[in-house]
Amino acid sequence: EEKELSKWLNKNETELKIVYGLPDEVKFLSSNNRNYIYIRKKFNIKCVRKFEIDSKNQIVGFSSKNCF
C-alpha cells in the first residue's frame, strides 16, 4: 500500500481524481493545504486514504489506514 501510494507524490490533483474519483471528504489544513479523503469498505473493514494537496494542486503527502 505504502509503495503504491508513494507513486502519487508530486503528481497533480487532477490525475488523482481521474483514478480515485471525487473524494468522500475534503479537509482544509492550517497550512493552506487540503486533505482529500477516500473511504472504502472491504470485508466490513473501513479503509481510509488521505492525500495532502498543496496550493499548486500537487500531492505532497499521503496516509492510509486499514487498506490492503
Side-chain angles (χ1 to χ4, degrees), residues 33-66:
N33 289 358
R34 58 200 182 280
N35 270 344
Y36 279 13
I37 303 169
Y38 293 89
I39 302 166
R40 303 286 178 265
K41 260 189 154 180
K42 192 174 186 180
F43 306 118
N44 237 7
I45 297 170
K46 187 171 158 183
C47 157
V48 179
R49 289 187 182 104
K50 294 180 184 176
F51 294 92
E52 186 174 343
I53 317 276
D54 70 8
S55 58
K56 297 175 191 144
N57 296 327
Q58 299 294 311
I59 298 166
V60 294
F62 63 86
S63 70
S64 169
K65 184 177 173 192
N66 295 330

